[in-house]
Amino acid sequence: SINFLKEYIEVEPSSEAYFELGKALFLNGDYDESIRYLKRTDDFKKDAYLGLDYYRKRDFESAAEHFRAFLKQKQNETILTYLMLCHEENGEIENAAICGERLLEINPEKDSIKPRLIDHYFTLKQYQKSLDYINNVFGIIDTAINFFYYIFI
């Protein structure tokens, strides 16, 4: 399909064809070529794929820029998760925590985010928030404290 799309673009270049070719190249793992074609389309979804291309190339700053652009147009749990991961990779822990909180607003049952928030808030020295998530995830803090109190006091 990639060769067909390249031939099609030579005959009839269009925003849709550039987007489909960029997407196909991304799925094929050819991130540099994907970026080249996606930049030529005006489809707003291009920012999701450009973000993923840059993420795979470990250019987390560029990836985050495109993920933010996409999220301005459409809320998307997967892209927001990738944005959080970019912030983590860039050492932007406060921004990563903000993304994690937004993810939980969208999907409160997304338990895989909570351990990350435990770590983020601990790193940010927001120990009460970290403990709140520990208690939420494990539900044992109060029980352990009460057990300790009962046994040793």
Side-chain angles (χ1 to χ4, degrees), residues 112-125:
S112 63
I113 298 301
K114 294 173 184 176
R116 295 185 109 85
L117 288 172
I118 292 168
D119 185 52
H120 295 336
Y121 286 125
F122 185 83
T123 300
L124 294 168
K125 298 183 177 169

Side-chain angles (χ1 to χ4, degrees), residues 10 21 23 33 44 48 76 92 103 108 116 120-121 126 137 147:
E10 288 179 20
L21 179 55
K23 186 169 78 170
E33 279 289 291
F44 86 93
N76 182 287
E92 300 164 347
L103 281 163
R116 295 185 109 85
H120 295 336
Y121 286 125
Q126 294 181 22
V137 169
F147 177 75

Side-chain angles (χ1 to χ4, degrees), residues 9-150:
I9 285 174
E10 288 179 20
V11 175
E12 179 109 19
S14 70
S15 180
E16 182 182 0
Y18 284 122
F19 177 75
E20 291 301 325
L21 179 55
K23 186 169 78 170
L25 288 162
F26 164 77
L27 294 171
N28 200 44
D30 194 347
Y31 307 123
D32 290 324
E33 279 289 291
S34 173
I35 290 167
R36 190 165 73 87
Y37 285 100
L38 286 170
K39 285 185 173 185
R40 298 175 79 176
T41 183
D42 58 7
D43 190 314
F44 86 93
K45 293 178 284 192
K46 76 176 179 185
D47 282 308
Y49 284 96
L50 283 166
L52 292 168
D53 281 324
Y54 283 114
Y55 186 87
R56 297 275 165 78
K57 290 172 49 96
R58 303 194 56 76
D59 180 349
F60 301 113
E61 192 161 323
S62 295
E65 177 185 331
H66 288 285
F67 291 145
R68 281 190 295 272
F70 178 82
L71 290 167
K72 284 180 184 177
Q73 301 292 317
K74 182 178 180 184
Q75 193 68 262
N76 182 287
E77 191 175 332
T78 301
I79 298 302
L80 185 55
T81 301
Y82 273 106
L83 179 58
M84 180 185 69
L85 295 173
C86 288
H87 288 311
E88 289 175 0
E89 291 288 344
N90 286 331
E92 300 164 347
I93 302 305
E94 188 170 351
N95 288 335
I98 290 167
C99 288
E101 293 288 354
R102 284 179 53 204
L103 281 163
L104 289 177
E105 288 172 12
I106 294 168
N107 182 357
E109 303 303 313
K110 192 162 179 90
D111 290 333
S112 63
I113 298 301
K114 294 173 184 176
R116 295 185 109 85
L117 288 172
I118 292 168
D119 185 52
H120 295 336
Y121 286 125
F122 185 83
T123 300
L124 294 168
K125 298 183 177 169
Q126 294 181 22
Y127 301 120
Q128 187 58 52
K129 282 186 177 182
S130 186
L131 282 172
D132 290 344
Y133 277 106
I134 289 171
N135 193 35
N136 183 279
V137 169
F138 300 107
I140 59 170
I141 300 301
D142 291 334
T143 304
I145 290 171
N146 289 336
F147 177 75
F148 179 80
Y149 182 81
Y150 177 77

